[in-house]
Amino acid sequence: MARNANGHVTAAAGVVRPDEGVLRGALVCVVGLALVLLATAARAECRLADQDPRGLQEVEVERVQGFDSLRLTDGRTVQVIGLAPAAPLPERAGPMRPLHLHEGLREALAARLDAVDQRLILRPGRPARDAEGRLRMHAWLPGGPLLAAELIAAGEAMPRPGPQPAALDTCFYVAEAEARAGQRGLWLERPAALPVRILDPRSGALRQGRLRVRGEVVAVRETSRHWVLELDGPLDVLIRGRDRDHWPDLQPDTLNGEAVIVRGQVYPWRDRLRMRIRHPLDLEVPE
């Protein structure tokens, strides 16, 4: 089992109980039949039929413009909330199978839309627009599944919730846990959590996408502006500014010496690497 940084129970290969709430970040470690039953219950919370019908809108997609960007026939461009590509594995990752399944997210999204004649049901997210001005939308297929969760569960994508935690974020992490447990898609080519020591700040192979990384916290730096967790490898984990409000019970120094699993985009920073995390479910403490 594992727990999140606020001390609630979590699991690297388990599923998320939607009734615990995203902000509390409570995950439950289960195996076998229990995993299937909890996953089924969580999926039910994510279905279109279980959503408030107010604000829902049926649309037709003109074309897929990127791994999470759609052009609608009414002229709007929308971002599908929850989707992110997986970053390529570092060259030092060794015996992993180089299937490069992370590279087909745009095609997988287009295939899902082709199967439903380009029809979707949308609901605005919060905030309503991303940094590029695109409308942020939760998207359901006409039959009811949450589109992003379907792609994540198939191992076509990794979860990337918005800057503000929301109830449907749980659906994305449930889907990822299912994909990891079943070694589907991109999880065929990588471990459930990449050892932080494999990362190399000198590597030119770092590209956009998310990684799930495991390491031990060897130092904690706290300032008035941010928290930094230094791991036992070339990676610092940054929790900045108002993002700290998403961990209301966290005392960062209590993580010193703890093994953690973090999820996010890795980028160069001075002579090391850095990962900024914003969501409580992107920081886990295995037990």
Side-chain angles (χ1 to χ4, degrees):
M1 289 202 302
R3 55 191 171 86
N4 73 1
N6 288 338
H8 298 57
V9 177
T10 180
V15 297
V16 183
R17 289 181 59 183
D19 55 321
E20 295 290 340
V22 170
L23 288 179
R24 295 183 63 85
L27 310 183
V28 178
C29 180
V30 291
V31 293
L33 181 60
L35 178 90
V36 175
L37 292 176
L38 275 179
T40 301
R43 283 301 190 86
E45 297 288 332
C46 306
R47 295 178 308 184
L48 180 62
D50 298 305
Q51 310 305 313
D52 187 335
R54 291 172 296 183
L56 296 178
Q57 46 191 281
E58 185 173 354
V59 301
E60 183 175 354
V61 177
E62 180 180 296
R63 64 181 181 273
V64 176
Q65 297 189 148
F67 67 84
D68 67 346
S69 184
L70 305 174
R71 178 76 171 181
L72 307 183
T73 56
D74 61 15
R76 292 180 295 169
T77 298
V78 303
Q79 177 202 28
V80 178
I81 297 172
L83 291 175
L89 290 171
E91 294 180 2
R92 295 174 58 195
M96 314 306 171
R97 288 161 283 191
L99 304 178
H100 304 294
L101 295 170
H102 54 274
E103 296 177 353
L105 177 51
R106 179 173 180 167
E107 291 74 15
L109 176 57
R112 286 295 196 288
L113 291 171
D114 285 343
V116 294
D117 297 323
Q118 311 300 317
R119 309 297 300 184
L120 286 176
I121 311 297
L122 302 181
R123 192 186 76 193
R126 295 181 181 178
R129 294 184 181 271
D130 67 6
E132 300 174 7
R134 294 177 301 176
L135 294 168
R136 300 179 66 254
M137 294 282 187
H138 291 290
W140 284 267
L141 299 171
L146 185 62
L147 175 57
E150 288 289 295
L151 290 166
I152 294 167
E156 303 284 2
M158 290 187 70
R160 184 181 62 183
Q164 301 175 13
L168 285 175
D169 294 345
T170 307
C171 304
F172 310 140
Y173 290 87
V174 168
E176 188 203 62
E178 291 179 10
R180 289 199 316 271
Q183 292 189 314
R184 301 174 195 154
L186 65 92
W187 299 106
L188 279 171
E189 66 174 359
R190 62 189 63 214
L194 193 69
V196 68
R197 293 180 181 179
I198 288 179
L199 300 177
D200 184 355
R202 299 166 298 178
S203 173
L206 291 170
R207 304 207 306 269
Q208 185 174 5
R210 284 164 68 86
L211 289 173
R212 194 167 184 268
V213 179
R214 180 173 184 144
E216 181 180 326
V217 178
V218 296
V220 177
R221 301 194 298 273
E222 298 183 54
T223 74
S224 60
R225 298 173 56 190
H226 54 244
W227 298 330
V228 177
L229 311 178
E230 181 181 333
L231 302 190
D232 60 333
L235 181 67
D236 295 333
V237 179
L238 173 69
I239 303 175
R240 180 185 294 171
R242 293 182 179 178
D243 296 339
R244 293 175 297 186
D245 295 341
H246 302 155
W247 285 268
D249 303 321
L250 177 61
Q251 298 179 10
D253 59 327
T254 64
L255 295 177
N256 219 332
E258 294 272 15
V260 297
I261 295 174
V262 292
R263 185 193 288 97
Q265 182 174 340
V266 174
Y267 58 92
W269 180 257
R270 298 176 180 172
D271 60 343
R272 290 175 59 80
L273 298 170
R274 177 170 281 188
M275 175 191 292
R276 180 183 178 184
I277 61 174
R278 303 182 182 205
H279 200 285
L281 296 183
D282 283 333
L283 175 59
E284 304 169 46
V285 184
E287 291 182 351

